[in-house]
Structure formats: structure tokens, C-alpha cells
């Protein structure tokens, strides 16, 4: 059965002022799978990730050329509703960043912003999101306590729950486990595995073993260019480009 493509880049260039961060990126992201973006620091993978939900708009002088489409509609179209785009394409950052409020209010924040009202309905949304993020059993008895009292791994799963609470289609993970200990990293990886099939997940990782464990597809970036992309198992076992092979075998990076 043919894969359904939800995100598609064609000849995408991206600039920060006069500095070109991405060059001629053409890449399809299939729906309801995990796609990992790998490559050394400064290779463009995070720029590409942040371009998908226009987080780069917050950087002065940032601009895109070429095509980047979500469900066939240009993400950088002048009439694109950026608030709605970021609801449909959620993002979790490198370091856990819970709001300084209760666990409940962290998760309810987005739904309230988008017009969800009524205690019973909010309670249901919060519980569903916390369950989806595999943290409900750990926090259900302390929902009114500050989220800042959670461990780092719990905070990151709370941030994932916060992103899921507004019912996105796509979840962007920017090095979401790099600040976590090995046990917390394993919990988040299990969570990612459980979410694929329901969500399209695009994750930036420096950890090649992580990419191999949790992703179905991998894209290798180098120097702002996409070197190659494909099924993770194939790319890791039979890379088609010598630069990919060099990076995977630790010759650079």
C-alpha cells in the first residue's frame, strides 16, 4: 500500500539573514510514522524541523524559498494561519519547559486557548493527554501540584502531553531526550513507539542508536543539504552515499 505523504519539501532553501542554512531540500514525510533527522551539529536538521511549524519566524531575518507543504498547502503561504498550523503541528523542545503552574493547568492551557470550556470536558482532555503520554498513573493524584516538582523525564512527558492535548496531527521532537538520563530516555522512546500509527512524528536526534530503535525512516543532513533519506534499516545497513557511511561509522560528526 502506498504511503500517504503529509509533509513535502521541494527545493527548499532557508536563510538566517545572509546565511543559508538549508540548500535545495526535497523530502517527503509519510503520515503516521516516525521520521528521524540525523547529522552533525550545524547541519540544518533543526532548522528544517523548526521550518515545519514556522518556529523560525521568531528569528529576525529568517526566510524560506522553495516549497514546504502540509497536506499539499504551502506552509509559508501569506494566508497561512500560523496559530492553527502550530496547533496541528506540535513541538517538544530539547529541554523540558513546563509552565510554572500545576500539572493540570499545563495540559489544559492549550485546549483553553483554543476555546475548550467546561470542567468536565477539560478533565477528559487532560486525562486523555496524560494517558497518551504515559504519565497519567504517575501524576493522577497530584494534578494540582506544580509541574516544576516533577523529575526531568516526567517533565518531558508532561510537555508531550501538553502538545497532544490540542490534538495535533504532527509532533516535532527536537532532541527531546538529550537532557534526560538513560532510564527517562527509554521511557520517552517507548512513548514515541506507542504514538506512531496515531501521529506523524519527526524527530531530530544526535543519537544514531535512538534513530535506529524508534524510527521507520531516516534523513541524513550535512552542511545544510539532504544527503540521503529512506527506510531506517536500509539507510543504516546499506547507505548509498559515502558521506552517510562515513557519518554512521564515526569518521566524522
Amino acid at each position: 500500500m502506498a504511503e500517504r505523504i503529509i509533509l513535502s519539501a521541494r527545493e527548499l532553501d532557508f536563510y538566517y539573514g545572509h546565511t543559508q542554512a538549508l540548500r535545495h531540500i526535497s523530502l517527503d514525510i509519510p503520515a503516521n510514522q516516525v521520521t528521524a533527522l540525523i547529522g552533525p551539529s550545524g547541519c540544518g536538521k533543526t532548522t528544517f524541523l523548526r521550518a515545519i511549524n514556522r518556529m523560525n519566524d521568531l528569528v529576525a531575518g529568517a526566510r524560506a524559498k522553495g516549497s514546504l507543504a502540509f497536506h499539499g498547502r504551502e506552509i509559508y503561504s501569506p494566508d497561512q494561519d500560523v496559530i492553527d498550523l502550530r496547533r496541528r503541528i506540535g513541538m517538544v523542545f530539547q529541554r523540558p519547559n513546563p509552565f510554572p503552574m500545576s500539572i493540570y493547568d499545563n495540559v489544559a492551557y492549550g485546549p483553553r486557548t483554543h476555546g475548550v470550556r467546561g470542567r468536565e470536558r477539560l478533565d477528559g482532555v487532560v486525562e486523555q493527554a496524560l494517558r497518551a503520554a504515559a504519565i497519567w498513573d504517575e501524576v493522577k493524584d497530584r494534578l494540582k501540584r506544580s509541574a516544576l516538582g516533577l523529575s526531568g523525564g516526567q517533565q518531558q512527558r508532561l510537555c508531550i502531553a501538553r502538545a497532544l492535548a490540542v490534538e495535533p496531527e504532527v509532533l516535532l521532537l527536537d532532541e527531546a531526550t538529550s537532557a534526560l538520563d538513560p532510564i527517562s530516555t527509554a521511557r520517552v522512546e517507548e512513548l514515541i513507539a506507542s504514538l506512531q500509527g496515531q501521529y506523524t512524528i519527526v524527530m531530530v536526534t544526535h543519537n544514531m542508536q535512538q534513530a535506529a530503535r524508534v524510527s521507520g525512516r531516516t534523513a541524513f543532513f550535512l552542511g545544510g543539504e539532504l544527503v540521503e533519506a529512506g527506510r531506517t534499516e536500509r539507510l543504516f545497513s546499506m547507505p548509498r552515499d559515502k558521506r552517510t557511511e562515513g557519518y554512521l561509522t564515526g569518521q566524522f560528526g
Side-chain angles (χ1 to χ4, degrees):
M1 189 170 67
E3 293 177 324
R4 182 169 66 91
I5 302 303
I6 191 170
L7 289 158
S8 183
R10 289 291 178 271
E11 294 295 314
L12 177 69
D13 296 332
F14 203 92
Y15 299 83
Y16 297 111
H18 297 297
T19 302
Q20 188 168 1
L22 295 176
R23 301 174 185 276
H24 317 313
I25 305 297
S26 292
L27 178 65
D28 289 331
I29 306 288
N32 301 331
Q33 294 187 33
V34 179
T35 298
L37 310 181
I38 64 170
S41 296
C43 67
K45 57 189 186 295
T46 294
T47 293
F48 180 74
L49 189 80
R50 292 169 67 92
I52 293 173
N53 74 341
R54 291 184 54 169
M55 285 300 294
N56 287 328
D57 286 11
L58 305 174
V59 180
R63 59 190 173 90
K65 286 178 61 180
S67 173
L68 182 58
F70 177 45
H71 286 300
R73 185 182 177 199
E74 288 296 329
I75 287 172
Y76 284 86
S77 170
D79 62 350
Q80 177 66 255
D81 183 336
V82 178
I83 293 173
D84 183 62
L85 179 75
R86 291 181 185 151
R87 183 195 65 76
R88 298 172 71 192
I89 304 178
M91 191 162 191
V92 177
F93 298 93
Q94 183 171 357
R95 295 194 173 277
N97 61 340
F99 302 141
M101 55 180 67
S102 71
I103 294 167
Y104 183 100
D105 287 337
N106 262 270
V107 183
Y109 183 89
R112 282 175 176 144
T113 301
H114 291 284
V116 176
R117 296 288 181 268
R119 184 69 188 203
E120 189 173 331
R121 189 174 172 202
L122 276 172
D123 285 352
V125 169
V126 169
E127 179 176 346
Q128 183 179 2
L130 289 169
R131 285 188 182 278
I135 194 175
W136 170 254
D137 289 338
E138 296 167 51
V139 302
K140 63 184 179 182
D141 297 324
R142 47 175 170 157
L143 295 176
K144 294 303 180 186
R145 296 184 192 172
S146 172
L148 302 181
L150 297 173
S151 70
Q154 289 174 323
Q155 287 185 9
Q156 194 65 303
R157 280 182 287 141
L158 176 66
C159 291
I160 293 172
R162 190 173 67 194
L164 296 179
V166 294
E167 301 182 343
E169 296 174 58
V170 179
L171 193 60
L172 308 178
L173 306 177
D174 187 7
E175 295 275 8
T177 63
S178 66
L180 304 181
D181 62 83
I183 293 173
S184 296
T185 294
R187 294 294 301 275
V188 173
E189 287 184 6
E190 290 169 7
L191 170 58
I192 293 168
S194 73
L195 293 175
Q196 66 174 328
Q198 300 170 262
Y199 301 92
T200 302
I201 299 174
V202 188
M203 58 182 291
V204 164
T205 180
H206 274 101
N207 186 328
M208 287 180 282
Q209 290 76 24
Q210 182 175 77
R213 283 192 296 265
V214 303
S215 70
R217 298 182 67 82
T218 296
F220 171 54
F221 285 72
L222 184 65
E225 298 179 0
L226 176 63
V227 175
E228 67 174 297
R231 300 295 305 172
T232 296
E233 185 177 349
R234 194 277 306 161
L235 188 138
F236 275 77
S237 61
M238 293 183 293
R240 292 172 181 155
D241 191 290
K242 289 291 185 184
R243 293 169 293 176
T244 313
E245 183 179 359
Y247 181 70
L248 294 174
T249 56
Q251 295 175 30
F252 66 93

